[in-house]
């Protein structure tokens, strides 16, 4: 988990700020050819590749993508702006169709996307958000892709109509993903839990406000509260104290509360789903009279 305190909107602005320039753009800004050469020799200006310059200290992934001959894309770009992605261990770069003379990536695990480009120009170092979404849907397993879409919708970075426009040019199998999204999900773990509950066939509500308790992530069958605890939002004794007070308040109203750990929900989902199913099976009869 990062300590980045910027909002998602601020991170989007930062990521899409022009940071890579052509020689002509540098000249238009007031630099002479001698100035450019001197800055490159001094190391204050980096020549990433022919006619692509950046101020020293540019993001390493951006520098590498431009050096190779492409732009940052897919889950690499989405992660940088604070959108949920399940895993992003390698750099994803998009190369325009027909690109030639690409340089070899420094890391052999770098993923190169060669698929059709929307044609949106954007900055020299990053693809458009819609292109990144399209690439990410192909690179992730379905539940992770749905969680990414939930995150995008929750932060209001795109509309459902825009996602529909992306899916419209993709194979038909991707159409079902949009139907399973819910912008009320505030984290990837909430998306995964929602899909587990859907698979279990139980009745559930999301983001429910209970008088005297507050807002909870899920209420299942009217009696079971599920909170998807993560280190980011539940660490520290003060927060744990608050959670325990809420749990007691909920119990006094007749609710049972369970708090699966976000990491288990995301990376051991089968185990968590089985545990939730057991809780519902064993305790459910006491509340339904079955």
């Amino acid at each position: 988990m990062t300590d980045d305190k910027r909002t998602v909107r601020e991170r989007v602005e930062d990521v899409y700020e022009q940071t890579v320039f052509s020689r002509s753009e540098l000249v238009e800004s007031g630099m002479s050819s001698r100035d450019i050469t001197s800055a490159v020799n001094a190391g204050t200006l980096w020549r990433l590749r022919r006619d692509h310059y950046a101020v020293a200290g540019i993001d390493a992934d951006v520098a590498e993508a431009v050096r190779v001959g492409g732009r940052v894309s897919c889950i690499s770009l989405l992660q940088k702006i604070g959108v949920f992605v399940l895993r992003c261990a390698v750099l994803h770069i998009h190369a325009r169709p027909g690109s030639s003379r690409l340089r070899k990536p420094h890391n052999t695990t770098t993923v190169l996307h060669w698929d059709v480009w929307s044609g949106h120009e954007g900055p020299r170092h990053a693809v458009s958000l819609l292109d990144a979404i399209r690439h990410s849907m192909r690179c992730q397993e379905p539940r992770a892709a749905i969680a990414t879409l939930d995150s995008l919708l929750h932060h209001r970075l795109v509309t459902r109509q825009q996602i529909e426009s992306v899916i419209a040019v993709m194979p038909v199998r991707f159409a079902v993903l949009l139907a399973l999204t819910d912008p009320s999900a505030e984290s990837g773990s909430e998306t995964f839990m929602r899909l587990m509950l859907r698979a279990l066939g139980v009745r559930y509500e999301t983001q429910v406000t209970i008088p005297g308790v507050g807002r909870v992530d899920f209420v299942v069958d009217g009696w079971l509260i599920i909170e998807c605890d993560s280190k980011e939002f539940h660490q520290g004794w003060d927060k744990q104290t608050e959670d325990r007070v809420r749990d007691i308040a909920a119990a006094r109203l007749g609710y049972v509360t369970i708090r699966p750990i976000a990491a288990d929900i995301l990376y051991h989902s089968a185990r968590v789903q089985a545990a939730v199913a057991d809780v519902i099976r064993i305790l459910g009869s006491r509340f339904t009279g079955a």
Side-chain angles (χ1 to χ4, degrees):
M1 186 62 61
T2 105
D3 292 326
D4 194 333
K5 301 301 183 182
R6 293 173 298 167
T7 66
V8 171
R9 290 284 181 182
E10 289 170 340
R11 293 174 70 167
V12 170
E13 293 177 1
D14 288 347
V15 166
Y16 279 103
E17 182 181 4
Q18 186 175 9
T19 54
V20 178
F21 306 90
S22 67
R23 190 177 187 87
S24 62
E25 288 171 334
L26 292 176
V27 170
E28 289 174 5
S29 73
M31 295 184 72
S32 66
S33 294
R34 178 175 295 180
D35 292 335
I36 295 172
T37 300
S38 296
V40 170
N41 291 337
T44 57
L45 188 68
W46 292 351
R47 184 178 184 276
L48 302 175
R49 75 171 191 267
R50 181 178 179 183
D51 204 30
H52 287 71
Y53 298 84
V55 176
I58 189 176
D59 179 271
D61 288 342
V62 170
E64 171 66 356
V66 175
R67 185 196 68 81
V68 168
R71 298 184 290 174
V72 177
S73 184
C74 195
I75 56 179
S76 294
L77 178 60
L78 296 179
Q79 185 179 64
K80 288 182 183 299
I81 65 178
V83 169
F84 173 84
V85 297
L86 182 60
R87 296 182 181 88
C88 184
V90 300
L91 176 61
H92 291 246
I93 299 174
H94 179 251
R96 296 180 185 180
S99 296
S100 59
R101 298 182 180 178
L102 293 183
R103 295 179 178 178
K104 185 178 180 179
H106 285 142
N107 194 322
T108 58
T109 60
T110 294
V111 177
L112 286 176
H113 292 269
W114 291 89
D115 53 336
V116 177
W117 172 51
S118 68
H120 178 78
E121 289 296 337
R124 296 174 180 271
H125 64 280
V127 302
S128 71
L129 190 55
L130 295 184
D131 276 329
I133 293 170
R134 178 161 53 86
H135 297 158
S136 73
M137 292 175 69
R138 291 179 178 274
C139 270
Q140 300 186 92
E141 55 99 6
R143 285 180 302 178
I146 293 169
T148 293
L149 295 179
D150 277 358
S151 182
L152 287 156
L153 291 169
H154 177 74
H155 291 295
R156 298 182 180 180
L157 297 180
V158 294
T159 64
R160 293 183 68 87
Q161 290 71 28
Q162 287 175 309
I163 296 177
E164 286 174 356
S165 71
V166 171
I167 292 177
V169 296
M170 298 180 68
V172 67
R173 69 179 184 275
F174 290 98
V176 68
L177 299 184
L178 181 58
L180 295 174
T181 59
D182 181 349
S184 71
E186 297 180 344
S187 64
S189 57
E190 288 184 25
T191 298
F192 274 53
M193 179 56 69
R194 185 184 76 244
L195 296 175
M196 291 180 204
L197 295 174
R198 187 177 186 277
L200 291 174
V202 296
R203 179 173 57 88
Y204 65 89
E205 298 174 88
T206 64
Q207 303 302 328
V208 181
T209 299
I210 302 174
V213 177
R215 186 158 57 91
V216 300
D217 295 336
F218 295 93
V219 173
V220 180
D221 288 339
W223 62 270
L224 176 63
I225 293 174
I226 301 179
E227 296 274 46
C228 303
D229 288 0
S230 65
K231 181 179 180 182
E232 180 180 10
F233 298 111
H234 295 268
Q235 65 180 346
W237 180 245
D238 288 345
K239 181 57 183 171
Q240 291 185 41
T241 299
E242 179 186 335
D243 289 342
R244 296 181 189 194
V245 170
R246 280 162 46 92
D247 291 350
I248 292 175
R252 295 180 68 182
L253 295 175
Y255 292 94
V256 172
T257 302
I258 60 174
R259 294 179 173 275
I261 299 170
D264 287 340
I265 296 172
L266 296 174
Y267 302 109
H268 306 287
S269 55
R271 182 197 309 167
V272 173
Q273 182 172 322
V276 171
D278 284 344
V279 170
I280 294 172
R281 175 177 56 83
I282 295 170
L283 297 181
S285 60
R286 301 182 186 181
F287 292 88
T288 62

